């Protein structure tokens, strides 16, 4: 990637505009002690190895640099093949901007087309787009789309076992949607949506039912049963998958009768990076394609019969009149979408399944070992992928004590679920060794 720094004249011009005489004067309000601590202290002309050693030494000073983490809750640590970064950092992709003159950006369009195809296969749906910020906003866009598909219905039933932050984003989006009503449905002993409560809430005012898959407790919802109940009342079903790697081992939501499927793609080639960036995945049935937000790249041939890619649908306000737009999304998260594409292409169908099953094995081994001591028990009975909820007395104190030993043992749930005061969420992936799990058990007993 080309990088053109500011010249001394550029800097001088900018300082003149803001009315200061030097860069040091610009940052004078920052305490001197903090400015001194920000110095990396690298002499000029140092060898690469020395630079790396210095930076690694600085990174090691971070209190959490060597902590053992079993946190998940929507952001998951996974192995990322080196080929992902290698392809991502090619200049034509790394510096590419959103294709406003799309047909001259054939490489970008092909990458988006391949991304859409893989997402559709992952969810077992007929069409997928490539314009979502992240899983939570994709879920909110799915709800808005369901209201367009069922324009005379304004009620949306949302499972309380859906990721709390997804629910917050949905509520924020719907705050601007006239007469839209969100009704939350509780969960049962299995950790899935309470079916009796769902059946009682479903009626001819319901546009959609939204569930997690897996949900926030790591539990897999019975999608077919939910879809049967919802469809009987003419409502759509939306599934949101924060941990998309799970789809390598479980039945795809599209084949379970789900109408709109969304997810967070960070697990597939992305890194945690302090929580972002993410990339939203969005797919649905072909009959709803014109009401789908974002944009869609299609494959075609030119006048000479040569394969080419075109921006087939773009129902965004940047392309059509604002009042006709299905959303005002203004990015395609192109680089992250490419990461997902490269990752899935690199591991293949069999590799994805093997990776997913490794997660299942680690998580179930951790749950069994933790419950064997008698202090902890599984809070929910439903099937899980790589996360599970443990219950036991003084759970918050135990998690805090584990942190004192350099282990992030899990996420206490009381902040979002007061009724789960003595519960915490644990995640184990292929990144955790048997020794790591033994260490977790040791600090929690």
């Amino acid at each position: 990637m080309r990088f053109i720094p500011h010249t001394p004249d550029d800097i001088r011009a900018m300082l003149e505009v803001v009315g200061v005489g030097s860069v040091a004067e610009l940052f004078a309000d920052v305490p001197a002690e903090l400015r001194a601590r920000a110095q990396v202290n690298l002499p000029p002309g140092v060898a690469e190895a020395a630079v790396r050693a210095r930076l690694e030494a600085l990174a090691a000073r971070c209190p959490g640099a060597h902590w053992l983490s079993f946190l998940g809750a929507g952001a998951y640590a996974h192995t990322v093949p080196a080929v992902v970064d290698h392809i991502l950092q090619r200049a034509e992709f790394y510096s590419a901007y959103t294709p406003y003159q799309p047909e001259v950006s054939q490489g970008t369009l092909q990458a988006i087309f391949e991304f859409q195809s893989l997402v559709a296969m992952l969810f077992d749906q007929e069409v997928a787009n490539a314009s979502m910020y992240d899983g939570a906003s994709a879920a909110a866009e799915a709800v808005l789309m369901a209201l367009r598909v069922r324009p005379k219905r304004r009620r949306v039933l949302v499972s309380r076992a859906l990721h709390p932050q997804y629910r917050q984003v949905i509520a924020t989006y719907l705050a601007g949607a006239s007469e839209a009503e969100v009704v939350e449905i509780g969960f049962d002993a299995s950790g899935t949506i309470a079916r009796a409560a769902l059946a009682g809430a479903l009626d001819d005012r319901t546009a959609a039912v939204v569930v997690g898959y897996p949900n926030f407790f790591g539990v897999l919802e019975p999608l077919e049963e939910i879809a049967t109940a919802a469809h009987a009342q003419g409502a759509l079903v939306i599934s949101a998958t924060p941990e998309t790697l799970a789809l390598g081992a479980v039945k795809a939501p599209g084949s379970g009768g789900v109408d709109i499927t969304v997810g967070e793609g960070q697990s597939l080639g992305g890194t945690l990076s302090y929580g972002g960036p993410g990339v939203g995945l969005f797919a649905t049935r072909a009959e709803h394609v014109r009401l789908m937000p974002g944009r869609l790249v299609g494959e075609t041939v030119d006048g000479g019969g040569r394969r080419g890619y075109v921006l087939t649908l773009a129902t965004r306000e940047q392309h059509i009149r604002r009042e006709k737009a299905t959303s005002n999304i203004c990015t395609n998260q192109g680089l992250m979408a490419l990461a997902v594409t490269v990752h899935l292409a690199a591991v293949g169908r069999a590799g994805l399944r093997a990776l997913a099953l490794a997660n299942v094995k680690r998580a179930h081994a951790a749950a069994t070992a933790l419950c064997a001591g008698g202090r902890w028990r599984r809070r929910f009975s439903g099937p899980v992928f790589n996360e599970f909820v443990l219950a036991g007395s003084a759970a918050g104190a135990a998690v805090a004590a584990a942190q004192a030993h350099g282990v992030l043992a899990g996420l206490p749930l009381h902040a979002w679920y007061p009724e789960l005061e003595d519960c915490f969420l644990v995640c184990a992936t292929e990144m955790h060794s048997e020794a790591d799990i033994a260490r977790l058990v040791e600090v929690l007993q």
Side-chain angles (χ1 to χ4, degrees):
M1 177 182 179
R2 295 175 61 199
F3 178 70
I4 304 173
H6 301 302
T7 67
D9 287 341
D10 293 334
I11 295 172
R12 188 162 40 251
M14 288 188 286
L15 291 175
E16 287 176 0
V17 170
V18 298
V20 296
S22 66
V23 174
E25 186 180 348
L26 180 66
F27 293 108
D29 289 335
V30 179
E33 179 186 352
L34 295 180
R35 279 184 276 134
R37 288 171 55 188
Q39 297 297 320
V40 179
N41 294 326
L42 279 175
V46 177
E48 178 181 335
V51 172
R52 180 180 295 276
R54 172 62 178 158
L55 296 180
E56 288 178 347
L58 289 173
R61 292 167 56 185
C62 175
H66 303 293
W67 285 6
L68 178 59
S69 176
F70 289 88
L71 295 177
Y76 305 90
H78 289 299
T79 305
V80 179
V83 67
V84 174
D85 273 350
H86 178 76
I87 298 297
L88 248 58
Q89 293 182 31
R90 288 180 63 96
E92 61 268 38
F93 290 122
Y94 205 73
S95 60
Y97 191 56
T98 188
Y100 283 108
Q101 295 177 306
E103 280 67 41
V104 299
S105 306
Q106 285 295 299
T108 297
L109 290 188
Q110 181 175 0
I112 295 174
F113 178 82
E114 304 293 353
F115 170 77
Q116 294 170 178
S117 302
L118 289 166
V119 170
M121 292 172 62
L122 196 62
F123 285 135
D124 194 18
Q125 292 282 19
E126 293 168 316
V127 293
N129 73 14
S131 290
M132 299 289 114
Y133 291 121
D134 54 27
S137 56
E141 291 283 355
V143 170
L144 294 179
M145 176 178 157
L147 293 171
R148 292 192 294 272
V149 175
R150 297 285 186 266
K152 296 183 179 179
R153 301 178 176 217
R154 311 310 294 170
R155 176 184 260 194
V156 180
L157 307 182
V158 179
S159 168
R160 280 195 76 231
L162 179 67
H163 196 300
Q165 292 172 335
Y166 282 44
R167 285 187 277 132
Q168 290 174 332
V169 174
I170 290 172
T172 300
Y173 269 55
L174 289 188
S178 63
E179 301 178 358
E181 176 191 12
V182 173
V183 177
E184 293 196 347
I185 306 296
F187 49 85
D188 60 19
S190 71
T192 61
I193 190 169
R195 259 84 84 200
L198 175 64
L202 276 166
D203 58 22
D204 59 6
R205 296 172 296 168
T206 307
V209 178
V210 190
V211 296
Y213 185 70
N215 62 29
F216 188 61
F217 304 138
V219 180
L220 295 161
E221 296 276 0
L223 294 182
E224 292 184 8
E225 186 178 342
I226 295 169
T228 299
H231 291 163
Q233 293 292 334
L236 304 182
V237 176
I238 300 169
S239 72
T241 302
E243 170 57 298
T244 46
L245 181 62
L247 301 183
V250 304
K251 189 173 183 178
S255 56
V258 173
D259 302 282
I260 307 173
T261 53
V262 302
E264 169 55 61
Q266 188 179 47
S267 286
L268 306 175
T271 60
L272 293 178
S273 303
Y274 297 98
V279 54
L281 314 179
F282 195 111
T284 186
R285 305 186 188 285
E287 63 183 288
H288 303 313
V289 66
R290 289 193 173 277
L291 296 176
M292 186 171 64
R295 55 187 160 188
L296 192 67
V297 171
E299 185 184 56
T300 186
V301 293
D302 65 10
R306 295 169 298 188
R307 184 174 62 175
Y309 298 91
V310 294
L311 198 55
T312 307
L313 286 175
T315 52
R316 310 184 308 157
E317 66 177 22
Q318 292 163 306
H319 294 91
I320 62 177
R321 286 182 295 170
R322 174 172 294 183
E323 61 271 23
K324 296 291 185 182
T326 56
S327 76
N328 58 4
I329 299 166
C330 57
T331 180
N332 66 351
Q333 292 289 70
L335 206 59
M336 292 302 296
L338 181 64
V340 172
T341 306
V342 176
H343 180 91
L344 289 175
V347 301
R349 188 188 296 271
L352 185 69
R353 180 167 177 77
L355 192 57
L357 292 178
N359 278 250
V360 173
K361 181 179 178 182
R362 291 296 183 206
H364 284 253
T368 300
L370 286 163
C371 294
R375 179 176 180 182
W376 307 109
R377 58 181 173 80
R378 287 274 304 279
R379 176 61 176 79
F380 300 114
S381 60
V384 299
F385 175 60
N386 66 2
E387 287 180 285
F388 53 91
V389 175
L390 289 183
S393 62
V399 170
Q403 187 169 327
H405 294 284
V407 179
L408 297 173
L411 180 72
L413 296 180
H414 60 84
W416 285 309
Y417 300 93
E419 68 272 39
L420 301 180
E421 172 67 30
D422 279 339
C423 296
F424 60 104
L425 183 67
V426 181
C427 175
T429 75
E430 82 282 0
M431 303 287 283
H432 295 107
S433 65
E434 293 182 4
D436 293 336
I437 293 173
R439 176 67 174 152
L440 175 67
V441 174
E442 178 187 355
V443 299
L444 282 180
Q445 297 302 340

